[in-house]
Every structure is written in structure tokens, then in C-alpha cells.
Amino acid sequence: MNPNQKRVAIFLLAGWILSPQLAVAQPPAVDDAARLEFFERKVRPILANNCYNCHSANNKSLGGLRVDDRNGLIQGGKRGSAVVPGDPEKSLLLQAVHQTGKLKMPPNNKLTDGEIADLTHWIKSGAAWPKVEAPNTSDRYRAKYEKLRKEHWAWQPLQKVQVPTVKDNSWARTEIDRFVLAKLEDKGLTPVKDSERAALIRRVTFDLTGLPPTPEATEAFLADQLPNALEKVVDRLLASPAYGERWGRHWLDVARYGESTGSSRNLPYPQAWRYRDYVIDSFNRDKPYDKLIHEQLAGDLLPAASDKERDENLIATGFLAIGVKDVNQRFPIRFFMDNIDEQIDTVTRSFLALTASCARCHDHKFDPVPTTDYYALAGIFHSTEHCSGLRSMMGGGGLAYYDSSKLLRLTPPAKDTKVDPTLPEKINQLTKAVEAAREDFAAIFGTDKGKEKGPDGRPLQMVARLKMQKLQLELNALTDPSLQGPVALGIRDAKKVGDIELRVRGEAEKLGPVVPRGFLSVINVPGAKPINPAQSGRLELAQWLTHPNNPVTSRVIVNRVWKHLFGQGIVSTVDNFGINGDVPSHPELLDYLATNFVRDGWSNKRLIRTVVLTRAYQLGSEATPAHTAKDPANRLVWRHNPRRLDAEEIRDAALAVSGNLDFRKPENVPSKDFKVIELRNNGPDAQRLHDYAQKSIHRSIYLPLLRGITPRSLEVFDFAEQGMVTGNRETTTVPTQALYLLNDTFVQRQGLALAERLLKRSEMDDKERIEFAYQLALGRDATAKELERAKAYLSQYEADARKVFSKIANQKPATPPKTVEAPAPKKQPGGIVVNPDDVDTSDIPVQEEKIGLTDPRVAAWASFTQAILGSAEFRYLR
Amino acid sequence: MSTDPQKQVSRPISRRDVLKSSSAGFGYLALAGLLGQQQASQAQSARARSPLEPRAPHFRARAKRIIFLLMEGAISQMDTFEYKPALQRNDGRPGPGGGTLVGSKFQFSRHGQTGVAISELMPNIARHVDKFCFLRGLHTDTPAHPQAVMQLHTGAANATLVRPSMGAWLLYGLGTENQDLPGYITVNPSPNFGGAANYGSAFLPAHFQGTRINDTGYMPNLRAQTERSLQRRQLDLIQGMNRDLQAAPGAPAEIDGVIQSYELAFRMQDRVPELLDISREPQHVLDAYGVKPGPAGSFARQCLMARRLSEAGVRFVEINQGGWDHHTGLHQGMIRGCEAVDKPTAALLADLEQRGLLEDTLVLFGSEFGRMPTAQGVDGRDHNITGYPMILAGAGVKKGYSYGATDEYGLHAVEGRMHTSDLHATLLALLGLDHKELTYRYAGRDFRLTDVSGNVVQEIFA
């Protein structure tokens, strides 16, 4: 280690982070050719020859400092600005090259007095630097963009549509039905038969709550011959808490919900669950969708009548804070701009089904989003402080990435309100002690003295470091808000708000012209409020999105709802309404739904209720060759699409029918207590999460969902990609799913529990037990053939199992069931600066335990019930 | 060794033969004994009906299987395999299509008998240059990753109708050599850029879709929890229920795929655990590939898994190294990326050759498109869809051969131009399939991988 590296290492270790100075000065007028020439002739060679090796984009950029870029110098590294234009006194660069203080640069060398004088002169005269040319490519696209804005269906105002007339007036029950039927009639198609009622209650119960109907509910529905029988079921389901757990999960897919950063360094978001609970609660209370948008984008800027409401508004902004983040970055500005990009991507895809983040580096190649529009939005998020409890740095272990100043304090419970009057003094004392300890450590680290063994046999530098760390932890305990009361992840307006410069080719440091904050020009929203210059502009962005004249937001959400109820959207590409997306199969219906949705107060429950009470929703799933030939993908809704249950539904249904399901929200989830320390996919914390998930009996939405550590029960059935907005999950059919259903301990355990549930019913005989199993798991009666098959299966299996078990018991020596031992957690590589590529992040095999059964009758029943859980019918809805 | 099946009979039984034939080996014998004859014959007849049974090609196959090494994100050909002296000479001058030409910062030198120039970033791959058949005139339609990656895998980038992936078409046409393994395995695929559609079966039956495994080879739930005869009995019950559902009106189309996946899963329990366990390889093999834990060793592990899977008869294996989208940070990014792929790729080629597998295995290396000869920013290159290379090696293709060329700067393909559909037609032909005959009727029309285009480039056939 050369002295320079050593010094940087000390800073990384000690966590001396000055807040990055994001104030960027405009480059001076470049007409002063002489100053530029001076820079090129005198200054750049000094920087290139003495500094680039350690401080440039293509090399190491130690300490987060780049000297090959004007903004890199002005923003500086971890110590702050290296150059303050016009003020040599304040420029750290000069202090370093004078080598009068602690900081001595270049290492092992000193610039000549002449060189120092040139640097000083350059800074004093404004630090001239050649201006970066922003390519004006917008001209290339202007005409194309103008045409698309006027013509592409998605961005046109909502059309006032007439409910179409149809030939067959007896079929349609609702106006929506008329839209559907009219299209079918155009194609010469008629809808298939209505669904059987048993299939219908199963369908609607899963669709609205993610759970199977109970046998009692099915029975009651089948017995209810009144015309409003389904309406009563729907109202009951919409009022149940399970509704929010199902539809909240749909939103969490869109919100790319994840409880960790998920990038090269996976750091937990221990408070992300508050946002999840907020979403569930909001759906259960049927919070209007426009309000939901306002709270998620600008909850911190909304008025609140109570502490509770204020807390809720703050938690809602977690939407913007819980994305994927790459904290392992040298340059704070890149971390900052990457997070802004992630927010823009999430906001535009989720609410507008538009891929605006493509315009970060260049004008959008397909959709009319010029780069200037991107930076108009970026200005809003640039004026926003990201509070996800994290900072970026290059390398670092332990709590190095944790920044407790980036958390939102919530209202503490009443009992905790007493404040220790001596607290400020304690913090003051400790801060001084930490400083002193740090200086002691810095003084001996890497020196011969530091390597000497102390009285306890440990090197003195280690003793000094431990002392420093201990004091730091004590200080953290007094200042970390998460240790003092409830906190949330979210955002707040930055101390400095304002417009920002376009970044040429998306490079964070390459500034182009300033772009006024604003919205996307692709959607014309007459009457939208301009941005309040005193704030970030998030509130006005939310208002623009939900303005009655914005046609896109409402189209996108009603299409998402339609997709979840019919299996495919009216626009099949639910996250992309742009040029590369699909066109609507029923454009008039889409506008009808969107218009009514806004008119009815943006109520999701009302929309869902209206849609499921249509005759179209209640169609059977039969396919005829005639229909299939004309419309194989069922775009026109001549039948109801069969669908495989989502991962959560499969798991929750297994728990529900086994009788194990605990409907309450779990309290003891291990990830809530995680420190903000890097997680390894094969580390002990990941193991704890897997073990927890494997044994949990709560609804799947409450499982810990740290990125890259997806619970197996969810991963195997195409869980949402947590990296970005996911309005449409995949549905694969692969042998890993069959292996899961045959061998996974979770499935085995639910099968056994269901078997025990049946066997406990002493008043039943085996035939009744089989019937009950079919009703519980499949929502229907078993046929005579199925009863016979099941009875034969149980007796044969029991007989075989008896033979096999006795054979095993007679084997000598008796070998206990072998369990696969999880490999011992590997040691985190030591040292201070860790290259993330050297950290083993491979998955750990989940500890596989064996459920050993010894009673042949129980084994037979457990095998039978597990077979039902493994059958295709259990996981497909018709 | 010839691909003539008659000649293969006479060669001595190899490790590969044992590996491939064990579907009727110990596991099966044990099973038959435990089940009693009746059930065993049931299981056997279920297999005979399997749509994954090997099927005869349309004409003589030059290759039996493919390993596709995808460099997702578009590796810079200008800094690896496309040496353009004119570009180096004109570094800093305006390019013919705008922008500023920028030569590679890496040194190129000539290798092998053929004297092909390869950059210093790929010293190990360069040793195999005489095996290569370069396709240097490729072009595609969309300069955006999601569309181009989808097009490379499925032949189309149409959002409204996702099409079956190349591997699914191969299974549909040829079945699979080893009934104990998925015929199509994709390792470490990106969740983005089309995600599962890139290894999906779309409207083809679901059992033709690729099985995804991660880059550690760990696959959970491979160990049966019950004694195998009992498990077979349980599986027969499940399959009985599944067939009932399949026969019912309104059954989901995927039920046949569910049934097939259960049979395959049952057989996989015997074979897959040892097959994916690369730690069973001798140390010198692990060293040759550069196997190590963590992301830096991902591609090495994938290469070794690819060899093991191909050797066991998997028809189509795809492995993936991403991170090549160097709009910025090209220099360091290329050094790092090439370090990750160079040694393992070379080791894979050497290993395949040594085991005789290159005789019937075709290796494909490349990206969804290429990068520009002009600069983007201070240290980057933008996408180029108008001319870029891919590399073929192994079964059925000429050795030490180069087909097609780009202009003097490497911007546009000017000779031997091959569209993605031509690549697909040619790959299918190498496996003995006529891309115009390999059709599937859906939505009232016959679909094929190459849609309405595609020309077989016979010039590259050995």
C-alpha cells in the first residue's frame, strides 16, 4: 500500500463521509480563449501526469475524486470540493499540492513551485474548462415525435364513447358486455356458455382474495338461487382483509417491491415492510387511486390532520426509496443520478406504461421522449432527498453503507416521548471521544508502532480500531433514529431544490444546458399546475398524473385491473403503451372504463366489482375449434381464459386447505431486525430467511422478500421480477415445479397436515374423508370414479408402505434419515476495501430435512393429499 | 468420428454412452423391480408416448446439439474479434455515418495457421482460432436490447405475439437424446430483455420450453422424500388426475406440459444431482476452466456445466455472460468482461475437443448485436445492428474459415450478409432441419422460427 492508498483506506474504514456537494457551478463563458489555452497548455498536463493514475474515470478514482473532469473536481471526493472556482484558499487541491497539511499530493513527489503557481492561477481565474458540447439530436426526431404525439392511440384524450348496439340483446347484462359482444359479433363469433357455478365461485374467490373458497362458502353459493347471489359473494370478498393482501400484492409487483438493494452489494431495507403494509391497508380501505399516487410520490408534501396521517403519508413515499441500488460506487454523483433514473423508470412505467428512462442518454428511439423531458423529470427527483438509509462508497464492510441520517422519523409511541435532557451533552462528549479515538488510530495504523503487540497480544492498531468502533457504536445508539423510535424509508425535499442541467449522453458529470423542471411532453394535460419553484415538484407531478385531462394514468390502471381479472389486458403489454407495445383489442371499452373509473372517484373496488359482475367475466373456459381458429389468443373474450394460480396463491391455498394458515400478520420476521450490513446469498442471514419462509404459515405476501433471496415456494412458480415494474408475471411449466411439488418439505408438511385434518374427523368414514378432501382442495365433489381410485390408492399404498417401512426398520445398522448439512458459512474476505466480485454470492442449498413417517396409514393419507396438492387441477382455475 | 449413425455403433462404449444410456440403467432396473411388472410397463409406455423422444431429422444432421454462449448486452467486436486496420489508422477522424472513429485501445495479433487477428483481451480463445468459423456479416433489425435479444432467441421481436425460442423449436423438431434430462437448459438467463420468453415455448406445447438453472448448479428438491416405489405410485395418481383434467372441456393448454414435466422430474432425481455437481470434476479440469465461487467465477462454472450437460445429451444448452453494454466505461469493462469469459471459453473448446464432443456439438458464441466503430462519450461505443460477427465452432462447420465481412471500419456488413433469420435457418440446417418444413400450426397459420424469410448459408458447412 502506498501512503496515498493507505490514507484512503483509513477514511473508508472510519466512515468519514462528507455530504457530497451537489451544487454544480456553470462552466464559465468559453469565449475566453486565452484562459482555455492556459488550461490546455499548463494545467491539464499537470493533472494528467500527476493525478490521473489514481483519480480519473478510467483508473482508480481513489477517495471518490476525479480530476479529469471539472465537475469531478468541484464536487470533489469524500473530503469535499477539490476546486472552488475563484477561491484558491478553499480549494483542497492546492492544500494537497502545497503539502503543508496532513494531505500530501502527489504521493512521494511534490509539484514544482511553477506548477503550483499555474494551478493557483487557473483556479483563481475561474477554473476554465472546455465546454462539453451537447449534441442537439432532438432536431432529428422533432417531426417524428410531433406526429406520434398527435397520432399514437395511448396519448390521445379519452374518447367519449357510445355503448355499442348489439344484435343479440339477450346476452349482455352490463354495458361492458355490450362492448365485448359487439366485437365478437363483428368477427362472427358468439360467446361460449356461462361458467359452471362451482368453477365461478372458485374463480372469483381466488381473483379477489388469492385464496380458495371454503366448502361452506361454495355450498352456500350453489344453494343460493337468487339473482344477486354472486353480488353478495363479491361484496363479502371485497370487504375481507384478504382482498387487500391479494390486490396489494398486484401493486407491489408494479412497485418492484423488494426489501434489499439487490445489486452487487445486497443491503437490507429493514423498514420496507411498512410500505408493504401501507399498500395492503390502502387497498383494503379502497383508497382512491389518485390519492394513492399523491401519497406515494409526494406524501411528505401533503397536509396531514394527525400524526397518524402524517406517518402514513411518509411511509407511502417508500415507493420511491425501495428500488434496486448499487451502493458500491466511487462517485456519489453517479449513485445519485442512478437512483434518480431508477425513480423515473418506476414512475413512468408504473403510472404511464412508458419507458421514459431510455431518454437518459439519448432521445428515445421509439417513443416521443426527448432527453430534455427526461431531465425535466430528473430535476424534480434531483430536488428530492433519497432516504433509504444508505450512502454509496467504493468498498466497505460492516455498517459502512448505512447512513442513519437518511431515514424518516415517524411518531414515536406515546410512552417513549420522554426526552433525556442530558442527551445533547452526551452526544457532544461521545462525538469528541470518537474523533480522538479515530485520530489515535490514524496515527498508528500501518506504522511499525501499530503492528507492535499490546498487553493482550493483539496489535496496537487493532486495539485502537476496536476502541474507535466501540465508541462509534455507542454514538450511533444515541443518534440513530431507528434505535430511538419508528422510522420509515422514503423521500423528502432536498435542502436545495431547482432545475438541473441535461447530462450529455447520460454521463453524470457531463453537464449540458439547464432544463426547467416539468412533465413529459408526450402527454398534453391542459390545465395542469406548473411546478412550485419552492418545492421539488413531486406534488405537481402527482397532480399532473392524476389530472382529469391526463388520459394515460387511468387507461393504464384499468388495463392492469382487467388483466388480473381476464388473464390478459385489453392492451396485452400492460407496462408498455408506447410504440413497441401492443394496441388495445377494445379501444372504446378501455376509454369507457377509464372515464368511468375517474368519474367514480378512482375506486379500485368499484371497478373490480363492476367487471366481475359482467357476463363476460362469468363465461366458461371451453374452447371450440371454430373460436380457436378465428381468435386463438382469445383477444376478443369469447371465453374465460384458464389461468395458473400465482406462486402466492399456490402456497396460500396449500396452507388454507391443510388448515395451517394463520391469517394474522406475522410479528417475528427475522429481516425486521437486520442491520444494514451486506447480505450474502449463502450467508447465515439468508439461511435464516429461507428457513423462516419454509416454516412460515402466514400468507405469502408477508414473507421476507429480500432481493436475490426469494423464498423457494415463490421462486419456483414465477414470482415477480423485483428489479423493475412487473405488471405481467411469467407462467412457465418446468420440471423444477414438479420436483417442488413432489419433494419439498413445505408441500410435504401441508399434505401431512391435511391428512391429519381428515383423519381427525372420527365421525367420517374414508369415503367421506375423500369427499371432504376434494371439496377443500378443489372446490367440487369427487366423482364416483375418483372415489374408487382414491380408495384403491389408499389401501394399496398403505400395504406397500407397510412392507417398505418394515424393510427399512429391519435394516442394520439403522441409519438415521440423512439430512443435507448446509455448508458452513464462508468467511467474509477480510481487509478494508473489498472487491464485490471476489465475494462469494452463490446460493446456499436450503437445509433439506426429511419428514419421516412411520405409520403406513398416515403415510398413505399424506401421500394422497399431497397428490391432490400436486395435481394440475389444484393450481389451475377454469 | 462421423455423424453417420452406422459407424457409431462400432466404437467402444465410452463414459458418455454410459451417461446417456442410464435412463434404462440402474435407476430404471431398480424401479422395475420395486414396482412390479405392471407398473413398470405403465411407466415405460408413458415414456414411449413422450413427445421428447428423439426424432429423425429432415436430412443428414451435421450436428446433434448446440451450446450457445450468449454475450448479453453486445460485446464490442471492435475490441475483440474484428481487426480493422483502417479504423486504427483513422482514429479520431469523422466516421462515414457520423461520429468520430475510434480505434481499439487493445493490441491485435495474428494467431494460428489462419493468422486471424484477435485482440489481447482474448489470449486463450485466440489459441483456438483455427477451429473457428466466423460469421462476419451479421445484421439485425432493432438497436434496442429487449427486442434484439428476443429476436435472436425467437426470430421475432413483436410485442403482440411472443414466439417459441430456438431451443424449443429444436426440441420440437428433434426431441431429446437423454430422456432423464431436460432437452433444453438455460443457465443464468437474464430476467430482463424478454426474460422467460427467450427460453419459452410460446404456442408450442409447454414441454418444449427451456429449464432454467442458476450458475451454481444448485437445484432444490432433487432428493425424493419417500421410497421410490411409493413415489412412483403417488406420481401415477397425480398423472391420473392430470389426464382427467386434460380431457375435461376448458382444460388449460399447459396440462400436457405439466404431465411431461412430472415424468421428467421423476427421472431427473436420478441423474441431475451428480450431473450438476461440478465439484466432481478433477482439480486440473476445475483449474483449466478457472472455476471459483462468486460472480467472477460464474461463467467458468457455466462453461463446465455446459460441457457436462452436452456430454449427457442435452440438445440445447445456453449459458450467459451479461454486462457488455459499454456505452461508457468500455476500457475497464472489456478488460473485466473478457477476463471472465476468455479462459473458460477456451477451456470448454479444448475439453469438448479432447472428449470428441466437438464432432457432434456445435458451439455458438456472440451477442444480440455489435457495437460501433465510432466513439460514444470518452470511453464507450453505441449499438450497431448493421454489421457484427458471431463465432461458430465444432460440428458441421468449416474450420479456420470466415464468412462475410463488414466495411473497412466495421460499420456495415457488405459481404456475406446474414440476417438473424439466416442465422436461424443455417443453425437448423446444421442440425438436419429444414427451416421451411419445421412448422407449427397456430391461429390458423403455419409458424416457423424464420417466419417468412431465412436463407441457409451452405458455404460454411464442412
Side-chain angles (χ1 to χ4, degrees), chain A residues 511-530:
Chain A
L511 305 195
V514 171
V515 181
R517 280 171 291 161
F519 318 120
L520 296 172
S521 58
V522 61
I523 307 162
N524 180 29
V525 184
K529 267 194 218 164

Side-chain angles (χ1 to χ4, degrees), chain B residues 11 56 73-74 76 88 123 130 162 182 196 278-279 318 338 349 352 437:
Chain B
R11 68 188 168 80
S76 168
Q88 302 299 115
D130 289 342
V162 176
I278 56 173
S279 69
E318 177 167 328
C338 292
L349 290 167
L352 291 172
E437 297 294 314

